[in-house]
């Protein structure tokens, strides 16, 4: 009644079995906080808390143990299985509201932290993927550069080979032109001598 007056939506379970059934039928995140009595008609709150905390997605749901026991061993066991706080029975309204608010703030902060971690993990995966892509692109560029260098070197060798061939042809042509020039000059000299 105190929590409903604070506009919290409250679901109640009268036994450990009923509490476990609620957890099994609800999705994680649909319950933000569990108030768990240590002494239940069909089991202990410690065992029930442990079972709830073992359910995937329920690990971070805060559990506030409510007990009339002043046995510190019970509280130690409750904290060992995942309880985050405790209240003594009967809880005072002010204390109940304060502990619930504090636990919910803690849960919200944990949810924000998990969301940030998930974002960081996604960013890390993207960076890893981009690094892999950049590495692949770099290797492809190096391979392309190497291929281009080999082609250029091959073309330069081909050009040099052709240039030597052209130089040889030019030398032959020069010799032939000089021979033809001499022959022509000789023929012209003979013709002029006849005339």
């Amino acid at each position: 009644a105190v929590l409903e007056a604070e506009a919290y939506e409250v679901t109640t379970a009268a036994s450990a079995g009923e509490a476990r059934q609620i957890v099994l039928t609800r999705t994680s995140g649909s319950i933000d906080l569990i108030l768990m009595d240590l002494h239940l008609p069909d089991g202990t709150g410690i065992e029930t808390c442990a079972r709830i905390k073992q359910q995937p997605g329920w690990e971070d749901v805060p559990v506030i143990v409510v007990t009339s026991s002043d046995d510190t061993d019970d509280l130690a066991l409750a904290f060992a299985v995942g309880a985050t706080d405790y209240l003594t029975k009967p809880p005072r309204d002010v204390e109940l509201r304060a502990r619930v608010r504090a636990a919910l703030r803690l849960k919200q902060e944990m949810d924000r932290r998990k969301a940030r971690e998930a974002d960081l993990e996604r960013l890390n995966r993207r960076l890893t993927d981009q690094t892999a892509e950049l590495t692949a692109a770099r290797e492809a560029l190096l391979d392309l550069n190497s291929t281009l260098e080999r082609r250029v070197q091959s073309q330069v060798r081909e050009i040099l080979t052709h240039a030597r061939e052209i130089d040889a042809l030019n030398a032959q042509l020069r010799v032939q032109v000089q021979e033809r020039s001499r022959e022509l000059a000789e023929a012209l000299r003979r013709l002029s001598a006849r005339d």
Side-chain angles (χ1 to χ4, degrees):
V2 170
L3 295 176
E4 285 174 343
E6 291 284 313
Y8 292 116
E9 182 184 330
V10 178
T11 302
T12 59
S15 66
E18 200 176 320
R20 285 194 300 272
Q21 191 58 37
I22 289 171
V23 168
L24 289 173
T25 58
R26 301 281 290 266
T27 59
S28 62
S30 63
I31 293 178
D32 296 315
L33 171 70
I34 297 171
L35 291 169
M36 178 74 64
D37 198 324
L38 277 188
H39 304 290
L40 300 167
D42 58 345
T44 69
I46 292 169
E47 180 187 316
T48 306
C49 179
R51 285 190 177 181
I52 289 171
K53 289 293 190 172
Q54 289 169 356
Q55 293 296 319
W58 291 85
E59 307 88 358
D60 294 332
V61 176
V63 176
I64 298 176
V65 172
V66 183
T67 182
S68 56
S69 170
D70 57 0
D71 186 351
T72 54
D73 289 342
D74 283 346
L75 289 176
L77 278 172
F79 286 123
V81 298
T84 53
D85 201 354
Y86 78 97
L87 283 165
T88 55
K89 280 186 183 178
R92 293 174 302 174
D93 294 357
V94 152
E95 187 179 13
L96 174 64
R97 284 192 293 267
R99 298 284 177 100
V100 165
R101 278 191 216 110
L104 290 174
R105 276 196 305 273
L106 176 66
K107 171 84 166 67
Q108 288 169 347
E109 189 53 42
M110 289 174 70
D111 289 346
R112 276 195 290 273
R113 191 198 77 220
K114 283 177 81 173
R116 281 194 303 268
E117 286 174 359
D119 287 344
L120 287 172
E121 185 60 35
R122 276 192 298 276
L123 284 172
N124 193 32
R125 278 195 303 273
R126 274 183 51 202
L127 284 173
T128 301
D129 291 346
Q130 288 175 347
T131 300
E133 288 170 12
L134 286 172
T135 300
R138 181 180 178 276
E139 288 172 4
L141 283 172
L142 288 172
D143 188 44
L144 178 62
N145 190 44
S146 177
T147 302
L148 288 173
E149 281 180 4
R150 283 194 302 274
R151 282 185 186 170
V152 167
Q153 288 171 353
S154 172
Q155 289 173 347
V156 165
R157 280 193 299 273
E158 212 174 292
I159 289 168
L160 289 174
T161 301
H162 289 311
R164 282 193 289 273
E165 290 171 2
I166 290 170
D167 283 346
L169 285 173
N170 276 340
Q172 288 174 359
L173 282 172
R174 261 195 309 273
V175 168
Q176 287 176 358
V177 166
Q178 286 172 353
E179 286 175 5
R180 296 284 182 255
S181 241
R182 273 195 303 274
E183 288 172 6
L184 189 56
E186 183 58 33
L188 286 172
R189 189 181 52 71
R190 275 185 279 189
L191 276 175
S192 6
R194 270 193 227 154
D195 288 343

